[in-house]
């Protein structure tokens, strides 16, 4: 039974009844306990308020909700799995808003065997899509630690990246089209799955990465890939970041560009993971200077053929490269997973890193990208600066695509309060700008990086974004105050 809703200033008393009429009263949550999980983000850094959480089951319902909100002056914050790390899916308390949860829209609509595409509702959980596709002997390569709870709608809205971008690109590159409800309630149907369609501005590309500010993505069509027949997964200790990048390129050259993941995990992060999850230990003995989780994969039958010793051609080729690089000193030590179970442990170690850092103490996280040639330079200057200001650091990264997750940390919460975080941020962004980096690589802007967006994004680009926002959402009902600074 729905509880009585407190009247919200400026919002008609019939509004919630209208929502119930569209989705059914059991799918309109209004009491605080039921809404709590939707109103605080994964990091527990952001919390907000809403008139209701509304859970439609079909695009046509989303369209009616948007029209109703438009006429009532209520703002809409779309939400998928609520695993976003920029606070974009949490509404402000000071604006009358609803959360539109896509969780019930979780059907796989269509699998096209000939075209190797899949059409899925926005609320489908990433891991469920991976599993569905794998059962058809294909691969949907997007993957990262939150795969068990994030949704493909959220992945599109944030243009998520993850561990396999080095080979397959980010979510934008995997998507062939979207269906979306625009801020006036109209439905944009772009689910043809065509690989060529030059018929004007690409609305799909505007919606991808728009973090719910231009419309609600209700479904999408994705490209699928051959499933690797063989994989080799290894944990490497390298002499330096430069050595790691040389190693990446050498392996790419020798294995026909088959690097699927190249993840940076240095010793302090390994130690933090071991502390938080004692069963997850480094596979190498002794400290690791520059640790990398490497995975190569191939769907070529010739790469999957085994020799008399049971080693695949791909593994033999990789081992040869690793041995050469050990001789040059670029690689210090290596552990190769010899079973699927060992491979999964290595991945669990990688995917537990964020939780381990959160448990370590207080932290501030940069999600940045740099040209590969400048990464070592950035790390050296940034580490020195952070130490000088009294911070510890825990840095990981999707090194293969130039993305670092650089965290300033302090195990002691009280001491953290005394550290000059603003000064460290200013210096970090100056350094990043000097080295041609981006201040937001894959997590988006949401509410956490609006100040940086205002400060660092080129004025011409910001003006264009504001013009697009006003043109598509003149009443400003879609996720206000997020992503684009200076538009209400
Ligand atoms: C442990 C962990 C590891 C992570 N690792 C990575 C990583 O490696 N790479 C990476 O890119 N991200 C990573 N993330 C961040 C996060 O998982 C991604 O941003 C993910 O894409 C968010 O999906 P979601 O469904 O949870 O979106 P939500 O958090 O629900 O929403 C995120 C944003 O998208 C909007 N939105 C959601 N659904 C829709 C929709 N259907 N239409 C329009 N707008 C919508 C929301 O309004 C919000 O602005 C990680 C998060 C965690 C907790």
């Amino acid at each position: 039974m729905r509880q009585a809703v407190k009247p919200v200033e400026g919002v008609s008393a019939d509004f919630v009844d209208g929502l119930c009429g569209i989705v059914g009263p059991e799918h309109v949550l209004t009491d605080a306990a039921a809404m709590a999980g939707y109103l605080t983000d994964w990091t527990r850094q952001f919390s907000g308020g809403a008139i209701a959480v509304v859970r439609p089951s079909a695009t046509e319902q989303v369209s009616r909700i948007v029209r109703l909100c438009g006429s009532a002056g209520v703002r809409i914050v779309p939400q998928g799995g609520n695993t976003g790390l920029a606070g974009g899916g949490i509404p402000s308390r000071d604006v009358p808003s609803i959360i539109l949860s896509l969780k019930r829209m979780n059907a796989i609509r269509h699998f096209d065997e000939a075209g190797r595409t899949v059409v899925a509702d926005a609320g489908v959980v990433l891991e469920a899509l991976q599993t569905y596709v794998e059962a058809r002997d294909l691969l949907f390569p997007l993957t990262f630690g939150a795969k068990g709870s994030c949704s493909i709608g959220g992945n599109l809205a944030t243009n998520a990246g993850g561990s396999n971008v080095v080979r397959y690109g980010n979510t934008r590159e995997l998507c062939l089209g979207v269906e979306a409800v625009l801020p006036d309630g109209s439905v944009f149907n772009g689910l043809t799955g065509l690989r060529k369609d030059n018929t004007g501005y690409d609305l799909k590309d505007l919606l991808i990465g728009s973090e719910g500010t231009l419309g609600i993505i209700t479904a999408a069509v994705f490209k699928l890939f051959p499933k690797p027949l063989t994989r080799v997964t290894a944990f490497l200790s390298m002499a330096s970041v430069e050595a790691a990048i040389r190693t990446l390129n050498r392996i790419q050259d020798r294995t026909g560009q088959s690097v699927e993941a190249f993840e940076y995990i240095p010793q302090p992060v390994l130690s933090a993971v071991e502390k938080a999850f004692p069963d997850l230990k480094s596979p190498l003995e002794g400290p690791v200077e520059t640790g990398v989780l490497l995975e190569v994969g191939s769907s070529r039958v010739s790469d999957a053929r085994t020799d008399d010793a049971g080693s695949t051609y791909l593994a033999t080729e990789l081992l040869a490269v690793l041995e050469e690089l050990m001789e040059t000193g670029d690689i210090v030590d290596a552990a190769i997973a010899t079973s699927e179970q060992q491979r999964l442990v290595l991945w669990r170690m990688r995917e537990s890193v964020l939780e381990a850092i959160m448990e370590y103490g207080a932290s501030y996280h940069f999600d940045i990208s740099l040209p590969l040639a400048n990464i070592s330079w950035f790390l050296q200057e940034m580490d020195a600066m952070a130490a000088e200001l009294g911070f510890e650091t825990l840095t990981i990264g999707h090194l293969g695509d130039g993305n670092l997750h650089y965290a300033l940390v302090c195990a002691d919460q009280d001491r953290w309060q005394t550290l000059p975080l603003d000064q460290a941020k200013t210096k970090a962004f100056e350094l990043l700008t000097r080295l041609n980096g981006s201040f937001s690589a894959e997590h988006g802007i949401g509410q956490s990086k609006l100040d940086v967006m205002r400060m660092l994004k080129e004025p011409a680009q910001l003006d264009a974004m504001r013009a697009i926002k006003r043109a598509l959402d003149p009443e400003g009902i879609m996720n206000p105050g997020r992503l684009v600074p200076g538009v209400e």
Side-chain angles (χ1 to χ4, degrees):
M1 178 61 82
R2 185 165 60 82
Q3 294 192 346
V5 181
K6 285 199 216 95
V8 178
E9 203 181 325
V11 176
S12 126
D14 299 339
F15 174 69
V16 173
D17 289 338
L19 293 173
C20 293
I22 297 169
V23 296
E26 66 277 31
H27 299 302
V28 179
L29 314 179
T30 52
D31 73 279
M35 291 202 291
Y38 297 85
L39 289 171
T40 303
D41 79 326
W42 188 87
T43 65
R44 306 209 169 275
Q45 200 190 339
F46 299 102
S47 59
I51 300 169
V53 174
V54 188
R55 296 160 35 98
S57 62
T59 303
E60 170 268 336
Q61 291 181 358
V62 176
S63 164
R64 287 171 62 200
I65 294 166
V66 171
R67 287 184 207 278
L68 179 65
C69 288
S71 58
V74 171
R75 316 299 196 275
I76 303 161
V77 179
Q79 198 181 87
N82 195 15
T83 67
L85 297 175
I90 304 296
S92 300
R93 285 196 181 80
D94 53 357
V95 202
S97 315
I98 61 156
I99 286 182
L100 192 144
S101 167
L102 279 298
K103 277 190 176 169
R104 289 180 65 226
M105 293 182 59
N106 60 4
I108 308 269
R109 293 193 193 176
H110 180 61
F111 169 65
D112 175 355
E113 198 177 349
R116 295 200 157 178
T117 62
V118 66
V119 180
D121 279 351
V124 169
V125 169
L126 173 56
E127 195 169 39
L129 184 61
Q130 292 172 344
T131 307
Y132 175 93
V133 168
E134 217 175 302
R136 282 145 189 87
D137 272 336
L138 289 166
L139 174 78
F140 182 62
L142 183 70
T143 198
F144 49 87
K147 60 181 181 284
S149 33
C150 67
S151 67
I152 58 115
N155 301 155
L156 287 158
T158 57
N159 188 23
S163 299
N164 287 348
V165 170
V166 62
R167 179 152 195 186
Y168 299 97
N170 49 24
T171 311
R172 184 188 302 283
E173 285 158 87
L174 303 174
C175 178
L176 288 170
V178 300
E179 175 192 88
V181 174
L182 299 177
D184 65 356
S186 58
V187 178
F188 155 54
N189 183 347
L191 294 179
T192 56
L194 297 173
R195 287 175 197 250
K196 287 187 169 179
D197 182 13
N198 283 350
T199 50
Y201 301 141
D202 196 335
L203 263 182
K204 153 182 76 79
D205 273 337
L206 264 185
L207 286 157
I208 296 174
S210 67
E211 299 183 39
T213 62
L214 296 180
I216 298 154
I217 297 167
T218 48
V221 53
F222 290 108
K223 295 177 203 167
L224 304 176
F225 296 82
K227 190 161 87 177
L229 291 172
T230 181
R231 280 194 178 104
V232 190
T233 309
F235 191 75
L236 311 176
S237 170
M238 316 270 190
S240 63
V241 170
E242 287 101 328
I245 291 166
R246 277 196 297 275
T247 299
L248 167 68
N249 287 329
R250 186 75 77 85
I251 296 172
Q252 292 285 40
D253 293 345
R254 290 279 291 274
T255 61
Q257 200 84 0
S258 68
V259 174
E260 304 233 316
F262 199 79
E263 302 281 289
Y264 175 56
I265 317 182
Q267 184 60 50
V269 174
L270 285 173
S271 304
V273 171
E274 275 182 34
K275 192 169 164 219
F277 305 97
D279 62 319
L280 293 176
K281 300 212 182 308
S282 165
L284 296 174
E285 280 176 21
V288 168
E289 173 65 24
T290 300
V292 165
L293 173 57
L294 162 75
E295 186 154 277
V296 295
S298 173
S299 56
R300 288 217 304 250
V301 176
S302 54
D303 281 337
R305 270 196 201 115
T306 50
D307 59 20
D308 293 345
S311 176
T312 62
Y313 178 80
L314 185 69
T316 307
E317 195 60 23
L318 180 70
L319 277 179
V321 188
L322 298 184
E323 274 167 21
E324 282 169 28
L325 291 164
M326 277 180 150
E327 274 167 31
T328 65
D330 277 353
I331 297 180
V332 179
D333 201 359
I336 307 221
T338 54
S339 65
E340 180 62 9
Q341 198 201 349
Q342 282 184 7
R343 170 181 177 257
L344 293 179
V345 170
L346 286 178
W347 274 107
R348 208 153 65 73
M349 188 176 78
R350 167 62 186 90
E351 292 178 347
S352 304
V353 165
L354 186 53
E355 276 178 73
I357 296 179
M358 303 294 280
E359 282 195 21
Y360 185 83
S363 54
Y364 177 84
H365 298 248
F366 295 95
D367 162 38
I368 57 176
S369 62
L370 287 142
L372 286 188
N374 292 349
I375 287 199
S376 173
W377 188 352
F378 176 86
L379 286 171
Q380 278 171 35
E381 286 204 27
M382 185 72 192
D383 287 350
M385 183 271 285
E388 201 178 298
L389 295 179
F391 292 94
E392 296 169 68
T393 61
L394 288 172
T395 306
I396 48 154
H398 308 299
L399 186 57
D401 63 48
N403 179 190
L404 293 178
H405 296 304
Y406 192 106
L408 298 170
V409 295
C410 181
D412 179 343
Q413 299 274 356
D414 292 337
R415 202 170 95 72
W416 172 259
Q417 301 300 332
T418 66
L419 293 174
L421 181 60
D422 284 343
Q423 197 185 345
K425 281 166 67 177
T426 305
K427 287 186 172 220
F429 289 128
E430 275 168 17
L431 175 61
L432 192 64
T433 307
R434 195 151 40 86
L435 297 180
N436 292 323
S438 166
F439 56 89
S440 175
E442 61 174 12
H443 296 159
I445 303 300
Q447 51 182 312
S448 67
K449 297 208 183 74
L450 277 175
D451 54 341
V452 196
M453 187 80 165
R454 193 177 277 114
M455 196 168 66
L456 293 184
K457 194 79 183 167
E458 195 188 47
Q461 290 193 60
L462 271 183
D463 284 346
M465 286 186 202
R466 290 181 184 122
I468 290 166
K469 169 74 178 166
R470 288 192 187 111
L472 287 183
D473 184 17
E475 305 300 329
I477 69 163
M478 287 305 313
N479 210 359
R482 304 292 180 254
L483 178 61
V484 190
V487 197
E488 294 316 324

